[in-house]
Amino acid sequence: MSLENVTQINVAICCEVGLLLFACVFPVFTRAQDLAPRAYIITPIHSNAVTLTYAFFGGNILFDGDVPITGATAKASVSVFSYAHSFRLLGRSASVSASLPYGVGNFHGTVVGTDTNAYRSGGLDSSFRLSMNLKGGPAMDLQEFRKWQQKTLLGLSLKILIPTGQYDPTKLINYGANRWAFKPEVGLSRRWGHWVVDGYGALWLFTTNHDFFSRNQFSPGTNTQKQHPTFAFEGHLSYDVKPRLWASPDCNFWVGGQTSLNGIENPNTLQRNSHVGSTVSVPVSKHQSFKVSYNRGAYIIYGGNYQNVSVGWQYSWLGKPN
C-alpha cells in the first residue's frame, strides 16, 4: 500500500465519528502508565486477596498534529475485579494475579471542523501477572513471616494482556486490542525503618494486529497495525504510619510505542510521557482495606493528559485451597 493510501485511511479514520478519541483513553489503564507502589512486597504463602477497583479518568487527548482533531477531551471510568494468590516457587516467594476490567466513557472533540461526541462501554482485555522474588524474600508460612524483617527485595514479573475484550475489525473503537501484549519487569524494593523505596524497570512488547480497521467503507481491504516496544520506569517512596497504614508519592516515565500502518511508520505517535501522583492505603478490619490514589500527567507529548482518581476495596485471607 502506498503512503498516499495510508494517508487517506488515516483521514477517513479521523472522520469516523471521532473514534480516535476513545482509542487513546483505555491504554492509560493497562499499559506503561501503571502506578503501583509496593508491587514486590512479599506476603506469606497461601495469601489470597480479592480487589474491586473503580478508576476515573478525565482530561485532554494530545495528538501532536497527527490527525485533524482539536479540543479532544475524555471522561472515562474503569471498574476492575482482581484476584491474587501467593505460593512457593523454587523455594522463593511468588504470586499470581488476574484482572477483569470494564470501561465506560464519554468523549468530545472537533473532527475536521465538526463537533463530535461519543459514548462507549464494554469489557477491556483481561490481564494475568506472575511475580517471583529473586533476592531477600524466601517462601515463608505465617509463623516464619512474623519473624522476618524486610531489607532489600529483588523481584521479576511478567504481565500479559490477553485479547479477550470486545473487538470488531470494521470499527476503530474497540474494547479489545485484538493482539497480545507482554510486560517483563524487574523490581527493587528496599526498607529503612518506616520508609520503603520501590523502583521498577519494564519493557512492553506487542504482537501485531492483522485486522485493524478493515473491511469497511473507508478501507475495503485488511490493514495491519504494529507498535514498537515501550520502555517504562516507575518509582515510589512510601512511609508506614503503622502496619497496613501507609502513604506514597509516585512517579513514572515511559518512552516508545511508535505505531505503523501497513508498514508505514508514523513518527508522530512516539510517546515520551510521565505521570506523578500519590497513594494511601488504610486498613478497616483484619481482612479489609481501602486504597485511594491520584495521578496526573506531568509531561505528555502524545496521548492522554489525564487526571486519574481510583478507589479500591480489598478483602484478604490466608489459607490453602482444598
Side-chain angles (χ1 to χ4, degrees):
M1 178 177 288
S2 67
L3 178 59
E4 180 181 359
N5 289 336
V6 171
T7 302
Q8 291 174 350
I9 292 174
N10 284 335
V11 173
I13 287 174
C14 296
C15 299
E16 175 66 358
V17 197
L19 298 183
L20 277 175
L21 301 181
F22 186 87
C24 291
V25 173
F26 287 107
V28 170
F29 172 70
T30 54
R31 295 182 186 170
Q33 302 89 326
D34 296 346
L35 282 168
R38 303 197 174 200
Y40 289 87
I41 298 294
I42 68 172
T43 60
I45 59 173
H46 308 305
S47 296
N48 302 274
V50 170
T51 305
L52 301 178
T53 304
Y54 172 83
F56 174 80
F57 299 88
N60 302 319
I61 305 173
L62 306 179
F63 294 100
D64 194 29
D66 180 43
V67 292
I69 298 179
T70 58
T73 61
K75 293 181 178 180
S77 61
V78 177
S79 301
V80 188
F81 171 83
S82 302
Y83 171 74
H85 174 75
S86 65
F87 60 100
R88 185 190 307 270
L89 180 62
L90 301 177
R92 311 302 298 176
S93 175
S95 67
V96 292
S97 63
S99 299
L100 295 173
Y102 186 93
V104 177
N106 289 280
F107 314 96
H108 173 78
T110 301
V111 184
V112 197
T114 302
D115 283 342
T116 301
N117 294 281
Y119 167 84
R120 295 294 186 271
S121 66
L124 283 72
D125 289 341
S126 56
S127 67
F128 174 86
R129 180 177 182 265
L130 171 65
S131 176
M132 179 181 178
N133 179 268
L134 301 178
K135 173 180 168 37
M140 294 174 283
D141 60 26
L142 181 60
Q143 298 303 319
E144 295 171 313
F145 186 80
R146 286 173 174 169
K147 302 174 184 178
W148 174 77
Q149 291 186 346
Q150 177 192 340
K151 292 183 179 179
T152 300
L153 298 176
L154 179 64
L156 182 68
S157 70
L158 176 64
K159 184 175 182 179
I160 302 174
L161 293 186
I162 306 168
T164 56
Q166 301 174 21
Y167 188 80
D168 181 348
T170 65
K171 299 178 180 179
L172 184 62
I173 289 187
N174 282 289
Y175 312 124
N178 194 39
R179 65 179 184 183
W180 293 71
F182 304 89
K183 182 190 180 186
E185 181 179 80
V186 176
L188 180 68
S189 179
R190 170 69 183 183
R191 175 179 288 275
W192 288 277
H194 290 272
W195 294 94
V196 177
V197 176
D198 297 314
Y200 321 143
L203 177 67
W204 276 102
L205 302 169
F206 310 98
T207 61
T208 301
N209 182 352
H210 293 283
D211 206 5
F212 173 77
F213 197 55
S214 305
R215 301 188 300 280
N216 53 51
Q217 60 178 321
F218 300 107
S219 179
T222 300
N223 299 307
T224 298
Q225 185 192 57
K226 295 183 178 181
Q227 185 169 9
H228 287 262
T230 300
F231 297 91
F233 309 92
E234 187 173 341
H236 310 272
L237 174 63
S238 57
Y239 180 82
D240 284 319
V241 179
K242 64 179 184 179
R244 300 171 60 211
L245 174 60
W246 54 266
S248 169
D250 314 309
C251 66
N252 67 3
F253 176 76
W254 66 98
V255 59
Q258 182 174 316
T259 62
S260 65
L261 180 64
N262 297 328
I264 305 299
E265 297 283 344
N266 187 345
N268 291 329
T269 59
L270 177 67
Q271 301 180 50
R272 294 186 299 274
N273 302 340
S274 175
H275 278 196
V276 295
S278 59
T279 304
V280 176
S281 178
V282 181
V284 294
S285 70
K286 179 180 178 181
H287 296 285
Q288 300 181 69
S289 64
F290 280 99
K291 185 183 293 183
V292 180
S293 66
Y294 168 83
N295 68 76
R296 62 178 300 164
Y299 179 78
I300 305 296
I301 296 298
Y302 181 89
N305 185 15
Y306 305 116
Q307 297 187 60
N308 166 232
V309 177
S310 68
V311 179
W313 169 82
Q314 183 178 90
Y315 184 88
S316 58
W317 71 98
L318 190 67
K320 289 183 178 182
N322 296 324

